[in-house]
Every structure is written in structure tokens, then in C-alpha cells.
Amino acid sequence: MLVLRDVQKTDLPGLKRLAAVLNTVNLPNNEETLEAIIDKSVKSFAGKVKDPFEREYLFVLEDVRNNLIIGTSMIIAQHGTYDAPHIYYEVSEREHYSASLARHLRHKVLSIAYNYEGPTEIGGLVVDPPYRATPDKPGKQLSFVRFLFIAMHRRLFRPRVLAELLPPLLPDGRSLLWEACGKKFTGLTYLEADRLSRQNKEFIKELFPSSDIYASLFPDRVQKVLGEVGPATRGVQRMLERVGFRYVERIDPFDGGPHFEADTADISLVRRYRTVKLADEDFELEGDDVLVAAERESGRNRFRSVRCQARLDNTVIYLPARAKEILEVKPGAKLSIIPFE
């Protein structure tokens, strides 16, 4: 069985292993960056970051049989502040007509925009390749746990939720849009700019063009990826659309990946969230497929969640013995659940 939990500082070696395998934007293969992400998350789960909208939560998925971290996902309570605004391109269409030439043209236009009181963002989803497309559905678990946690703590998050999806990238990880635009205005590589932007967004405001950009000026292959979802991310797109997210005609200024958003209250998994009490008896038969979570107010491990079969009886839940063991809970404990189907 797999366990979802809050990241710990002792997880650094496991995250380094995963980052070395993947080296993605979501999980960079840089020890200093990983240490900073872990430290911010540990303080956020413990409530030591005073402003709840400055908190960032990193979840890890662990194969408890092998003590191996096999994936991560993240919630950023608010993406977009006065110190670090949420920056994106608004995508619109502009029409031009020449009567003398009898020519009517439509152009896709990119307009840089800033949000200083941004939405909650979900991201950081990575899964170790050997575990992908397995019956445990680790990617789906890592996706759903974020909605479960948001539902458990609605006051800590914004009324809108954002998901930035990766577009098609070049085989070496470079971005076609960045090569055509961002690199020419900053002199940075895609990975350098992404790493720098985690701490400093000033260079974007100062170096990026403030005027509209006509996408028609880009090569055809660049135009084709604007707002497109990469092959490895299409499953995430379908999941998001099923629970209520929609493309909002905005893209990432670095790679052109589309932005999907939803009202927090309208996300189906948030609406179907419930709290229940743990029954005395074990349950070992086939029942409801759920994601169930338990929390503690103190200690190192504040949050734990598992996917399992359960039987629900009004406000009481019956769980398998193994699930209770992993959650470290006793009869009468308050648990939080969302459906996993």
C-alpha cells in the first residue's frame, strides 16, 4: 500500500534520487532548491509561516514496502503577491482587414499581465517512471490529495484554483516559446530562468517586452505549442476537466503551457468532501474506493492519507486493518475522505 504524507527534512535523499531520474521543472535536480522547498513545506504544515497565503505544501507518495519515495505534488496557497506577482500571457485574437486588398486576417496576440492577489496553485506533480500506469494509480492519488487537503482547510486557500500544465517540450527539455522569445530578452536558458523565477520575478517585469506580441511573428512550430498540453500531461488535463477545471485563455510566459482554473467551491471533489469517525471493526471486503486522511496537531508527520476500500455508514467509516495501521489511527478518530472513482 502507498501512503501520501507531508514531506520531511529526512526525505531529501529520496527527493534527490527522484529529481536525478526526472530533472523536471516541477522537481529540479538541485539540492539547494530542494532543501528550500522542503523547509518551506515543513514550516507550512506546522503553521510556522504566519500568513497562510504564503504557505507551500509538498506531499510525497511513499511505497511503504520499500521505504521509497515515488512521487510528489504541491499546493501553493497563493500564487501571486505584491513581492512576487503571478505573471502570464493573456491570449486573444485580433482581426485586421484591408479593403484595398480585400484581405481579412486573424492574429493570435500575447499580452503580458500581472496578478498580485493570485489564486491557489496546484502543481509539482511527478511520478517515478516504473510506477506509472500501475493499478495503484499513483498520479491520480497525488492529484486528488491536493483537493482533499484544500477541502479540509478551505480558509487557508483562495476562492480560485490554478493549474499550469506543461506544453510539448523539446527532447532536451527546452521550451520552443522560450527559445523564440524569453531567451532573446533575458539571455537565460529556460531552466536558468525557471530556477531564478522561484525567488526573483523582477527580471521578468524589467526585461520582458511590455507591449503586445503577435504570435504570427514566431515560427509555425512555436505557434502550434501555444496553449497546447504536452503528451505526458494530457492525463492530468482530462482529470482536471472532469472535476471542473477549464482553460482560461492564459499561458505561461516561459513555455506557453495553458492555464486551467476552477472556483474552489465548484470543484467536484471539494463538494464531495466528508468528515467521518473511524469504526471499531475492520473492513476487508470490497466497498467504496476512497482517499482517506488523518491529521495530527503536533509531531513531525502532520498529515497522512491512503487510498483504500471502505464501508461508509452515515458518519462512520470502516477501514481495512492495514489502512488504519498506515494512517496510525484508533477507533473514534476523525477522518477526512473524498471519493477516488
Side-chain angles (χ1 to χ4, degrees):
M1 188 173 283
L2 307 177
V3 59
L4 292 149
R5 57 175 177 79
D6 50 331
V7 73
Q8 303 298 313
K9 292 184 178 180
T10 53
D11 292 324
L12 179 60
L15 290 185
K16 285 172 62 179
R17 182 200 68 84
L18 201 56
V21 171
L22 300 167
N23 193 23
T24 65
V25 172
N26 286 335
L27 196 66
N29 188 16
N30 181 281
E31 183 169 342
E32 185 178 342
T33 302
L34 292 174
E35 285 179 337
I37 292 171
I38 293 171
D39 183 65
K40 185 71 172 285
S41 178
V42 170
K43 290 177 179 176
S44 296
F45 275 103
K48 293 182 179 179
V49 178
K50 290 187 178 180
D51 185 344
F53 296 133
E54 292 182 1
R55 296 174 186 172
E56 299 179 6
Y57 306 87
L58 181 66
F59 301 89
V60 297
L61 183 62
E62 182 182 5
D63 183 345
V64 294
R65 296 164 297 186
N66 305 316
N67 294 320
L68 190 68
I69 292 175
I70 63 168
T72 68
S73 66
M74 176 179 277
I75 306 172
I76 298 173
Q78 179 175 304
H79 180 49
T81 65
Y82 294 111
D83 293 329
H86 172 212
I87 306 173
Y88 53 90
Y89 280 138
E90 291 183 336
V91 182
S92 60
E93 188 177 80
R94 202 158 295 172
E95 298 186 52
H96 296 266
Y97 175 72
S98 168
S100 61
L101 297 179
R103 184 158 297 176
H104 177 213
L105 297 172
R106 291 185 175 89
H107 295 278
K108 184 177 289 186
V109 178
L110 308 181
S111 307
I112 199 160
Y114 304 89
N115 190 336
Y116 297 91
E117 293 182 342
T120 290
E121 182 184 6
I122 55 172
L125 178 60
V126 297
V127 179
D128 200 357
Y131 286 84
R132 295 174 187 172
T134 58
D136 286 325
K137 298 184 178 180
K140 188 175 178 180
Q141 290 193 43
L142 285 161
S143 295
F144 277 28
V145 73
R146 300 172 298 188
F147 301 117
L148 174 56
F149 192 79
I150 289 171
M152 293 167 68
H153 302 283
R154 288 286 298 277
R155 65 182 181 82
L156 302 181
F157 300 102
R158 305 299 292 173
R160 292 278 291 176
V161 180
L162 160 71
E164 298 184 6
L165 301 188
L166 279 175
L169 297 175
L170 294 169
D172 60 4
R174 289 181 299 142
S175 155
L176 284 166
L177 176 61
W178 185 260
E179 295 297 312
C181 184
K183 186 176 181 179
K184 295 178 179 179
F185 288 101
T186 65
L188 299 170
T189 68
Y190 174 53
L191 290 178
E192 286 172 341
D194 180 74
R195 188 175 298 123
L196 180 60
S197 69
R198 294 173 185 269
Q199 308 296 331
N200 167 27
K201 297 184 185 292
E202 182 272 345
F203 77 96
I204 305 174
K205 296 186 69 174
E206 294 301 324
L207 298 180
F208 267 57
S210 57
S211 56
D212 292 343
I213 299 174
Y214 276 68
S216 312
L217 298 173
F218 298 144
D220 287 344
R221 66 175 190 156
V222 177
Q223 295 182 47
K224 288 178 181 178
V225 302
L226 298 179
E228 291 298 310
V229 176
T233 317
R234 287 175 190 153
V236 176
Q237 176 191 357
R238 290 190 291 270
M239 182 278 296
L240 290 172
E241 290 174 335
R242 282 196 295 269
V243 300
F245 283 73
R246 295 293 178 266
Y247 174 52
V248 290
E249 304 295 334
R250 296 173 181 170
I251 63 173
D252 185 89
F254 286 13
D255 56 37
H259 288 190
F260 281 68
E261 289 190 12
D263 287 337
T264 307
D266 292 337
I267 298 170
S268 61
L269 293 170
V270 174
R271 291 202 313 266
R272 299 179 68 184
Y273 161 75
R274 296 173 58 182
T275 59
V276 290
K277 284 189 177 182
L278 180 61
D280 291 331
E281 299 88 353
D282 295 342
F283 175 73
E284 301 296 347
L285 301 175
E286 186 174 342
D288 295 312
D289 196 358
V290 299
L291 200 64
V292 55
E295 283 191 306
R296 292 188 297 192
E297 294 184 359
S298 61
R300 290 177 62 248
N301 186 199
R302 304 294 183 101
F303 175 89
R304 296 178 77 83
S305 177
V306 295
R307 175 202 176 188
C308 64
Q309 297 289 312
R311 182 165 71 86
L312 294 164
D313 185 5
N314 293 322
T315 60
V316 176
I317 189 169
Y318 297 81
L319 294 179
R322 181 59 175 153
K324 292 192 285 188
E325 180 184 346
I326 291 176
L327 290 172
E328 300 175 355
V329 291
K330 296 180 179 179
K334 177 185 174 182
L335 303 176
S336 299
I337 64 167
I338 56 172
F340 194 76
E341 72 273 7

